[in-house]
Amino acid sequence: MDLDFWLPLFFASAMGLALLIYVILDGYDLGIGLLLPLANEHDKDLMIASIGPFWDANETWIVLGIGILLIAFPQAHGQILTTMYIPVTLMLMGLILRGIAFDFRAKAVSHRKRMWNAIFSTGSLITASAQGWMLGTYITGLGHGGLNYLFSVLIAVTLPALYILLGAAWLLIKTEGALFDRALVWAQRAILPMGFALLLVSIATPLVSQAIAAKWFTFPDGLKLLPIPLLSTALYTSLLWLLFDQRALRQPGKEWLLFGGLIALCLLAGLGLAYSILPDIIIGKMTIWESASSTDSLLFTFWGTAIVLPAIIAYTFFVYRIFSGKTTTLTYE
Amino acid sequence: MFDIDPFILARAQFAANISFHILFPSITIGLGWILLFFRLRYTMTGDTHWENAYHFWVKIFALSFAIGVVSGITMSFQFGTNWPGFMERTGNISGPLLGYEVLTAFFLEATFLGVMLFGKNRVSNKVHLLACSLVAIGTTLSAFWILSLNSWMQTPTGYVIEDGVFYVDSWLAIIFNPSFPYRLAHMLIASMLTAAFLVLGISAWRMRMKVDGPATAKVFKAMTVIAMIFAPLQVFVGDLHGLNTFEHQPAKVAAIEGVWETHSGVGFTLFGFPDEETRTTRFALEIPYAASLILTHDINGEIRGLNEFEGEHPPVAIVFWSFRVMVGIGMLMILVAWWSGWQLFRRKQKPGVWLLRAASWMTFSGWVAVLAGWYVTEIGRQPWIVQGLLTSAEVVADHSSGIMLSTFTGYMALYVFILISYIATLRYMATKPAASLMAMNQVPGQSTQPIAAARG
């Protein structure tokens, strides 16, 4: 066992997994925030109640993801975060606004509720766009200049679309009746722009990053990547059918199909990204081994992670089970 | 653009963030255990007043917790955005400690908070009690790891340095570094006091407004007992912590005491204005020999002065004054706690008007003391970020002043807004009669009414 080689790889995978889980879980929270202005007063309450028990823990996954970057790859952590100083700051402010609005909203005088709703949505929008911008900056290898900015803006628009879709898919699982119908309509409206945006991002990625282009278009290694776009296209097509045909989704016990499909889509996108980036941690500048902490430190954290991470996943499932089923009144009772 | 040193701005921004953040954990660490106590009392006695108390305070807990989480996330990013050099140089040590905080504490709190807040109807009383315990344990574990790292920065042990990068020599020596036990005890007690006085103060406020329910008096009594025990204990622990600092960080103590020149038989300056220009403390009011007695247990003991740390000591005035504010509040806490105890238990009376006034004035006293205490220890460590080994200036990020200033302004505006909203919400909840609070237990959810036609 060559620990020097394997430990950074393990932590890179753990970081990727944590961030992927973050995008899916907090993605639906943020999506709810983005959809909130479209709903009527009563539905707003329901939508927020549907994420009440979960959002706090969902948000924690980004702390773990960034935490691993900081623990395992301190050299890269400083560079990445200082380069992304502005989008990171914006994202943090968005997260702060979204988080406090959730709690103030439940306790505020009723005429203030409208203000907190607006803050909740604004915070969600700032967070989602800033995260897209960060992802864009990261894929360009922390590059500056016109084309790179354009690419970052493109992803800053794409990610909220994905979050909206996740939010609507979550509502299909957690609600019924009129709100369920409306969530279906929201999902129908979001899926085409999101698909188009994903396509654009896929086309643009090799254009802005020579490192990635080299990986994609060398023969025969590029062929390894082929299953990802093929599977994604098939998956996306079946999601379109699910949404516009509606029959499958409307069967009781089948409302999770859209959310499940989106998870699979995120997983494929994550794998594609991982393949394109690894073994680099800053594309074209630094590998995971160059930026890793000392092996002693990694080993110390490894044991903790190996023991605790399964426990976290287990009790997360436990809590999701407690709050499973359609959303009803949330009370502090 | 403004010509302010980006280093000063990075420090100011981080200080603002960390100050804002600590307000909320200092409430939730203590309040988590207090809530568990309410739940246990109810479970054991069946007295619904404790349950009502739990319901009232769990809402304030949830709000405080959420603000603590979001400001904490901001901090975890600011290590990288403001002090990239810190992680690059000490990452092998500070990384895992922060990592263990996220892994063992952060997830535990965040996940079970949902069950604690919204799960009472969905789980058994046992499981709910377990969730409350796990949240309380989680907040305390957070403090454990964070204070371990902070203590290591103050009294570093168990490391080796190669090419300017820190490597681990012994994890045990790092985690349980010399100042850690004192600092952890000091902070946990501080949090207990902060929470107890918040609950005591708001209960007193409710009695004064005549909106209290029968639960309020019970809670007031319980908090009195907590404060009577912990306030004197804090003085004792604080003293031990001070002696530990005297041993490891003499420059910090010299600034606390305003000792300009090394000498023996040093007095304790009660009051004065330290002036670094003239290296004197103006208008000093001294208790002769007291500082030597406290720190060396000998009235003629020698205390090293700031002259020995030329160019390597913290700014004196702010450390000097923060220390006196902290100690002053501590004394006030003892006074109010024992006054309340004397009235409630010796004279067996209801709390009088003046006691209620004093208690409500003390509502946020814990905040002031906690901030002052952290200023003493953190500013007192300057110019070092890791005592004696690494300076703050060495690890700062090179952002332009303009960017730093605009983000700093943004954060400040946000924090002021949140703080005002927080206090306003607490006031609003405190002035609502107990009966109408029951209605507030409804977090908006589903009604059974058919939904009106959709608005597009």
Side-chain angles (χ1 to χ4, degrees):
Chain A
M1 261 313 258
D2 182 10
L3 288 178
D4 296 352
F5 176 81
W6 284 107
L7 280 173
L9 211 55
F10 165 81
F11 280 105
S13 319
M15 179 170 78
L17 183 69
L19 290 172
L20 180 69
I21 293 177
Y22 173 79
V23 164
I24 293 165
L25 294 184
D26 209 27
Y28 75 72
D29 297 331
L30 292 163
I32 299 270
L34 295 168
L35 288 168
L36 206 65
L38 304 176
N40 63 36
E41 282 311 307
H42 171 270
D43 284 354
K44 280 189 169 98
D45 287 347
L46 253 185
M47 285 159 74
I48 293 208
S50 78
I51 60 174
F54 311 110
W55 73 271
D56 209 342
N58 292 348
E59 196 179 69
T60 306
W61 289 96
I62 199 173
V63 182
L64 182 66
I66 296 298
I68 293 176
L69 178 65
L70 173 150
I71 299 161
F73 309 108
Q75 307 300 327
H77 171 262
Q79 263 195 58
I80 290 172
L81 286 188
T82 39
T83 309
M84 297 186 185
Y85 184 71
I86 295 171
V88 163
T89 305
L90 282 173
M91 178 193 78
L92 291 170
M93 289 183 175
L95 280 175
I96 290 174
L97 288 171
R98 188 271 305 253
I100 59 155
F102 186 95
D103 261 281
F104 275 118
R105 182 182 183 280
K107 293 160 192 70
V109 201
S110 46
H111 68 263
R112 283 276 158 74
K113 209 158 128 177
R114 199 168 294 166
M115 173 182 93
W116 291 117
N117 281 342
I119 290 178
F120 186 80
S121 297
T122 312
S124 302
L125 180 64
I126 294 172
T127 304
S129 308
Q131 282 171 356
W133 183 1
M134 283 157 69
L135 186 62
T137 311
Y138 182 70
I139 292 175
T140 59
L142 308 184
H144 288 282
L147 193 63
N148 292 329
Y149 287 133
L150 201 67
F151 181 74
S152 299
V153 168
L154 180 66
I155 299 196
V157 178
T158 310
L159 205 59
L162 172 69
Y163 287 169
I164 284 178
L165 206 51
L166 280 164
W170 177 251
L171 287 176
L172 294 184
I173 299 175
K174 301 303 280 185
T175 64
E176 49 207 341
L179 183 52
F180 180 97
D181 294 342
R182 218 156 318 145
L184 257 179
V185 173
W186 289 334
Q188 285 172 350
R189 284 185 197 160
I191 194 160
L192 285 168
M194 188 209 69
F196 183 65
L198 274 183
L199 188 69
L200 270 182
V201 170
S202 309
I203 293 168
T205 302
L207 295 177
V208 294
S209 171
Q210 287 170 330
I212 291 180
K215 272 199 177 165
W216 285 14
F217 304 120
T218 44
F219 190 82
D221 278 358
L223 288 178
K224 286 186 205 159
L225 194 68
L226 206 55
I228 289 180
L230 292 179
L231 278 173
S232 303
T233 313
L235 196 61
Y236 182 74
T237 316
S238 47
L239 287 183
L240 276 178
W241 174 80
L242 260 183
L243 264 178
F244 287 96
D245 179 65
Q246 290 192 21
R247 271 177 310 191
L249 281 174
R250 285 185 176 281
Q251 282 172 21
K254 290 277 196 302
E255 55 275 85
W256 59 269
L257 279 171
L258 177 63
F259 198 79
L262 287 171
I263 291 178
L265 202 61
C266 290
L267 188 65
L268 284 171
L271 285 172
L273 209 56
Y275 178 87
S276 311
I277 295 166
L278 284 171
D280 284 3
I281 183 112
I282 301 176
I283 300 175
K285 293 202 177 94
M286 196 187 265
T287 68
I288 54 175
W289 297 286
E290 286 166 348
S291 63
S293 290
S294 71
T295 304
D296 294 345
S297 294
L298 288 182
L299 199 60
F300 179 71
T301 316
F302 171 80
W303 290 117
T305 312
I307 294 164
V308 177
L309 204 55
I312 292 173
I313 290 170
Y315 65 61
T316 302
F317 266 106
F318 169 70
V319 169
Y320 270 82
R321 264 222 2 240
I322 290 177
F323 295 102
S324 64
K326 300 289 183 185
T327 304
T328 50
T329 329
L330 269 190
T331 65
Y332 284 119
E333 290 298 332
Chain B
M1 204 57 219
F2 298 93
D3 201 23
I4 306 176
D5 183 2
F7 173 59
I8 298 288
L9 284 169
R11 276 185 65 193
Q13 187 182 81
F14 197 71
N17 196 319
I18 213 160
S19 301
F20 178 75
H21 170 72
I22 198 64
L23 298 177
F24 299 96
S26 68
I27 287 175
T28 51
I29 296 167
L31 195 54
W33 293 106
I34 290 171
L35 285 170
L36 183 64
F37 164 78
F38 290 165
R39 289 286 288 112
L40 283 169
R41 281 303 295 260
Y42 167 70
T43 306
M44 289 184 313
T45 63
D47 179 348
T48 50
H49 294 144
W50 293 111
E51 199 63 349
N52 295 345
Y54 169 83
H55 283 310
F56 179 82
W57 284 100
V58 80
K59 290 197 259 304
I60 290 177
F61 181 84
L63 186 62
S64 314
F65 190 89
I67 304 176
V69 169
V70 291
S71 55
I73 291 177
T74 310
M75 264 175 39
S76 68
F77 277 85
Q78 278 196 356
F79 288 128
T81 54
N82 292 26
W83 312 106
F86 178 66
M87 279 301 148
E88 280 162 23
R89 307 280 284 276
T90 72
N92 290 327
I93 289 165
S94 43
L97 295 179
L98 289 168
Y100 271 94
E101 193 244 350
V102 176
L103 285 168
T104 59
F106 214 105
F107 270 104
L108 203 64
E109 309 167 85
T111 311
F112 285 96
L113 185 73
V115 181
M116 183 173 166
L117 294 178
F118 308 118
K120 273 195 74 183
N121 296 334
R122 291 171 173 259
V123 296
S124 67
N125 190 46
K126 260 198 192 124
V127 173
H128 191 260
L129 272 174
L130 178 73
C132 292
S133 322
L134 288 172
V135 169
I137 290 168
T139 54
T140 309
L141 265 179
S142 264
F144 177 93
W145 292 111
I146 295 297
L147 282 156
S148 176
L149 173 57
N150 181 271
S151 302
W152 180 83
M153 289 159 70
Q154 311 270 2
T155 51
T157 42
Y159 62 90
V160 280
I161 302 179
E162 284 169 35
D163 302 332
V165 176
F166 286 74
Y167 289 90
V168 176
D169 183 42
S170 149
W171 277 115
L172 268 182
I174 288 168
I175 295 172
F176 298 98
N177 58 75
S179 64
F180 175 54
Y182 302 100
R183 216 175 286 274
L184 179 67
H186 202 45
M187 182 62 202
L188 291 180
I189 297 170
S191 175
M192 209 63 206
L193 284 168
T194 304
F197 274 93
L198 180 84
V199 178
L200 191 80
I202 287 183
S203 301
W205 174 260
R206 287 166 67 77
M207 291 180 191
R208 282 172 65 195
M209 296 284 128
K210 305 265 187 290
V211 292
D212 52 318
T216 316
K218 292 195 172 198
V219 170
F220 191 90
K221 231 178 207 164
M223 293 309 115
T224 297
V225 175
I226 290 178
M228 281 172 77
I229 296 166
F230 282 97
L233 187 66
Q234 185 69 317
V235 175
F236 173 70
V237 170
D239 178 53
L240 290 178
H241 185 190
L243 294 178
N244 177 273
T245 305
F246 181 58
E247 186 185 340
H248 295 280
Q249 296 174 298
K252 187 188 285 183
V253 172
I256 287 172
E257 303 292 359
V259 182
W260 299 97
E261 305 290 334
T262 302
H263 64 292
S264 329
V266 184
F268 179 79
T269 313
L270 276 177
F271 178 90
F273 297 100
D275 181 351
E276 287 192 51
E277 295 280 307
T278 58
R279 304 179 53 73
T280 52
T281 306
R282 289 180 297 155
F283 307 113
L285 180 68
E286 269 196 26
I287 305 175
Y289 303 112
S292 283
L293 189 63
I294 294 169
L295 290 163
T296 64
H297 300 296
D298 170 7
I299 56 168
N300 288 318
E302 181 182 271
I303 293 180
R304 296 169 69 189
L306 292 157
N307 59 318
E308 295 196 24
F309 311 99
E310 201 66 53
E312 286 187 352
H313 69 69
V316 182
I318 188 164
V319 175
F320 177 93
W321 269 108
S322 298
F323 181 78
R324 275 143 196 80
V325 168
M326 173 184 78
V327 172
I329 300 248
M331 297 300 152
L332 277 177
M333 281 178 164
I334 294 179
L335 214 70
V336 172
W338 280 79
W339 175 17
S340 175
W342 181 71
Q343 244 188 40
L344 298 175
F345 302 111
R346 264 317 287 265
R347 314 256 317 252
K348 303 246 188 289
Q349 294 170 326
K350 280 199 160 149
V353 169
W354 280 102
L355 174 61
L356 290 180
R357 272 188 194 154
S360 50
W361 289 333
M362 293 290 283
T363 304
F364 295 107
S365 58
W367 275 7
V368 181
V370 164
L371 282 182
W374 275 106
Y375 289 173
V376 171
T377 205
E378 292 296 280
I379 299 173
R381 193 190 57 232
Q382 300 305 329
W384 306 104
I385 190 160
V386 179
Q387 178 72 38
L389 301 169
L390 192 64
T391 63
S392 309
E394 279 176 89
V395 298
V396 71
D398 57 345
H399 299 297
S400 72
S401 291
I403 285 187
M404 288 304 287
L405 199 66
S406 49
T407 53
F408 177 64
T409 316
Y411 277 124
M412 283 308 282
L414 196 55
Y415 293 154
V416 169
F417 167 69
I418 296 172
L419 212 52
I420 291 171
S421 305
Y422 181 79
I423 293 173
T425 304
L426 251 53
R427 245 191 95 115
Y428 167 71
M429 287 176 65
T431 48
K432 278 183 86 112
S436 71
L437 278 168
M438 287 295 126
M440 277 182 62
N441 285 333
Q442 291 260 355
V443 178
Q446 192 156 351
S447 68
T448 47
Q449 293 158 356
I451 297 166
R455 299 177 315 179

